[in-house]
Amino acid sequence: MRYLFVLVMSAGVAWGPPGMSAAEPATAIHVDLTQPGKPISGDLFGIFFEDLNYAADGGLYAELVQNRSFEYQATEQMRWGPLTNWDVATFGDGRGSLVVDAGRPLNRNNPHYAVLDVSRAGDGVGIANGGFDGIVVRKGQIYDISLFARQLYVERRWGGRPIKQDDKFSLVARLIGENGDALGETTLEYSGSGWQHLQGEIKATGSDQKARLVVLTKARGGIAFDVVSLFPRDTFHGRPNGLRKDLAETIAALRPKFVRFPGGCLVHGNGLANMYRWKDTIGPVEQRREQANLWGYHQSVGLGYFEYFQFCEDIGAEPLPVVPAGVCCQNSGHTAGAGQEGLPLDEMPEYVQEVLDLVQWANGPATSEWGSKRAAAGHPEPFHLKYLAVGNEENITPVFEERFRMIYDALAIQHPEITVIGTVGPFPDGPDYEKGWRIADRLQLPIVDEHYYRPPDWFLDNLDRYDAYDRGKSQVYLGEYAAHEPDRRSTLRSALAEAAYMTQLERNGDVVRLASYAPLLAKRGHTQWNPDLIYFSNTEVTPTINYYVQQLFSVNSGDEYLVVSSDQGQPADDSSLATSCVRDSASGDVILKLVNVGKEPIPLRLELDGAGNFDKSAICRVLTGERLAVSEFGTPKPLVPTTAQIAVGKSFEYEAPAHSLTVVRLKPR
Ligand code: AHR
């Protein structure tokens, strides 16, 4: 049965058919609120975070120092090296130089460090970092400075040669505004020998959007530095090594039911050596193994598995990690050979164990080997991992299948409590999709991950895609989707196409278990992929129209689907209006969604059996705009939903505005 109710407007024109106008008789929409609905997924709408477009370093991860560990490489960007974004700052007639060294590193995961050689102290000589396009400093805020230092020698000489010796010395960590003004500082004292961890706090005495951090000495000699870090104290939920508050709050406001992370293509990596290995991303940040980001920059992995899981917990979302399926990205290229490669089979047992260890790390007792590492990071309680995705839109080859199967079999035997999500390639159809589904059928996978980026019209032409899905097969995680305009802008048209599509995701929430728009974040000026859900700079966060569509659905989701019928008969492909209706069984609220993609308002008569059991006034949220092609940039007033109360009852009139999404939320009396 096809549950979707769609009004027939006019043949052949999807976006703005002539025909119905406000003067025409209202069409009846009928929902029976007295009947139990069809059970649907309570986790349907979530988010997908990938470190793409500087989403992590320079983005959600609140670290303000760029290249804090001196691990940038020319293999990431041609002009990069360990000293990228660092230079020498001199005060008075101070003189010094900066070189990179790797002789006595902090640990083998962190091989490079910087050596400052001060030949004339003057009023100070230091290392300076300009952050990610400048460091934003706000007057009155506290900034936490942390670094590792090691004294190489003091300026005492024996026979003309510098003597290496341990000693005590002071460093000054200072914030300096674009015009050279000091914005606050603190003194850090070194004593002892070898690498020492120094920490302090700076209270900002002024504000600047392009400040620099300088760590300086007023003595001659040589000092090694590594993992020079600066965080605002005011992170999301006040977490140390935490997340940028405004961005995290914008994500949290989506109230996602789950967070998929850390990719995307980032997960399977550019060549086998670049696969994302979760164990490299936990523990003290200075011990994590940094690496190239396949999107052309660097991963400090300061935002690692612990921080991802903690964020999920903080926002009440299920964690949905994705691990590589033992193969690298099929698009692996210039730096890493070509195409998909599999881990050598003799390395697979160890790799399979790595995946199993993730489950123990997340859910095992604090006394277990990997659970103890979670506990050591400050989280003795389990994280209650429920979903685990293996692979990301791989080409479905024998090399992939063999390795996927090894991982899946081990998980199925050792962790039947985990819902494993397989993959069916990069597209909504075609050979990988078909081969992926054949594997899913054979293995009876619980869920498979579908991806599609398609024009708005594709979404409207496929509003019945899941109506026909066999309910006896694997469920679907629509892990990545977005309506793409030819110029890749976010528009009202793409947002409404997604909204219409999301009504079918609700209607088919018995087979579509999870869905997430992609990608989530993009830093302006550092964007490798458009469109994205949320754009940001160092000081601003700009949600797109598509963000508000996601939000209207996710905060108004339910776990029962109520059939919507109309007096217009069967739907047609040239539809203009899409609807869905869900009940949230916890609150008893019923939520009706109406998506009018057409250019004319649609007068409706809403007939709700059992409306007497609900308040006579309902919250009505509407997202609409005059021009479908409007994009979120360059508009004086970006589109945001409006909120009003409307009178509801057994039968009432409502006009769905042209180009609109309406969400009506009824509350039980
Ligand atoms: O979302 C951006 C990219 O699109 C993802 O990394 C990949 O899975 C897909 O091709």
Side-chain angles (χ1 to χ4, degrees), residues 48 50 52 260 264-266 295 392-393 451 453 480 518-519 529:
F48 163 46
E50 176 166 18
L52 155 71
R260 174 181 179 232
C265 290
L266 181 88
W295 295 105
N392 171 68
E393 63 171 49
H451 292 180
Y453 301 95
E480 297 181 25
W529 183 289

Side-chain angles (χ1 to χ4, degrees), residues 131-411:
F132 295 88
D133 301 337
I135 294 175
V136 177
V137 173
R138 295 188 173 93
K139 186 175 176 180
Q141 299 267 309
I142 306 283
Y143 294 85
D144 290 308
I145 170 86
S146 157
L147 59 86
F148 287 80
R150 177 162 64 84
Q151 187 164 48
L152 296 178
Y153 60 89
V154 290
E155 192 55 21
R156 293 188 204 128
R157 291 175 181 265
W158 184 259
R161 295 163 57 116
I163 302 170
K164 288 189 184 177
Q165 68 173 70
D166 298 318
D167 208 339
K168 295 185 177 184
F169 63 92
S170 301
L171 294 170
V172 173
R174 183 181 293 162
L175 291 169
I176 298 180
E178 202 175 4
N179 63 3
D181 289 351
L183 301 171
E185 65 179 45
T186 191
T187 302
L188 307 172
E189 303 290 351
Y190 175 103
S191 76
S193 60
W195 287 106
Q196 296 288 326
H197 188 198
L198 311 183
Q199 290 171 281
E201 65 177 49
I202 303 173
K203 183 164 186 184
T205 54
S207 296
D208 200 299
Q209 296 188 1
K210 294 234 178 252
R212 295 193 309 157
L213 170 70
V214 175
V215 182
L216 62 95
T217 173
K218 292 184 180 168
R220 289 163 59 167
I223 299 173
F225 291 96
D226 208 349
V227 198
V228 182
S229 164
L230 183 77
F231 271 84
R233 175 78 52 88
D234 192 21
T235 57
F236 184 65
H237 281 222
R239 301 284 186 197
N241 193 44
L243 305 182
R244 196 178 126 176
K245 198 174 177 183
D246 56 352
L247 263 179
E249 283 174 347
T250 307
I251 294 169
L254 286 166
R255 302 227 303 263
K257 295 292 188 298
F258 65 88
V259 182
R260 174 181 179 232
F261 59 86
C265 290
L266 181 88
V267 167
H268 49 199
N270 185 15
L272 288 174
N274 189 234
M275 288 192 334
Y276 193 100
R277 311 294 287 258
W278 72 270
K279 288 184 181 176
D280 291 337
T281 75
I282 60 165
V285 291
E286 69 277 8
Q287 291 172 18
R288 300 182 187 182
R289 195 175 66 84
E290 308 199 358
Q291 68 163 340
N293 182 317
L294 134 161
W295 295 105
Y297 56 105
H298 184 85
Q299 305 179 67
S300 75
V301 295
L303 171 50
Y305 259 50
F306 182 81
E307 292 74 24
Y308 282 120
F309 274 75
Q310 184 174 252
F311 180 51
C312 292
E313 193 169 80
D314 284 346
I315 64 174
E318 299 287 349
L320 197 168
V322 187
V323 292
V327 297
C328 65
C329 185
Q330 54 261 23
N331 301 318
S332 294
H334 47 286
T335 57
Q340 184 188 76
E341 291 174 280
L343 282 172
L345 287 176
D346 61 358
E347 290 179 24
M348 278 305 291
E350 195 183 339
Y351 181 68
V352 169
Q353 188 57 48
E354 181 177 320
V355 178
L356 297 174
D357 290 343
L358 172 59
V359 182
Q360 190 186 70
W361 176 84
N363 291 353
T367 48
S368 61
E369 182 189 355
W370 287 96
S372 69
K373 296 186 194 303
R374 182 195 69 237
H379 202 288
E381 309 79 25
F383 275 123
H384 305 294
L385 176 69
K386 181 164 108 179
Y387 298 115
L388 179 58
V390 178
N392 171 68
E393 63 171 49
E394 274 78 23
N395 284 159
I396 310 297
T397 62
V399 171
F400 163 83
E401 184 173 355
E402 188 172 21
R403 285 154 185 79
F404 175 86
R405 178 104 202 228
M406 288 175 179
I407 301 164
Y408 175 68
D409 286 349
L411 281 167

Side-chain angles (χ1 to χ4, degrees), residues 26-27 29 577 592 594 601-606 620-623 646-648 651-657 660-664:
T27 301
I29 291 184
L577 185 83
L592 178 66
L594 307 163
I602 301 179
L604 300 167
R605 192 174 69 257
L606 298 169
C620 179
R621 304 204 68 201
V622 181
L623 181 64
I646 59 167
V648 296
S651 178
F652 62 99
E653 307 285 321
Y654 177 76
E655 186 174 86
S660 69
L661 162 62
T662 299
V663 179
V664 182

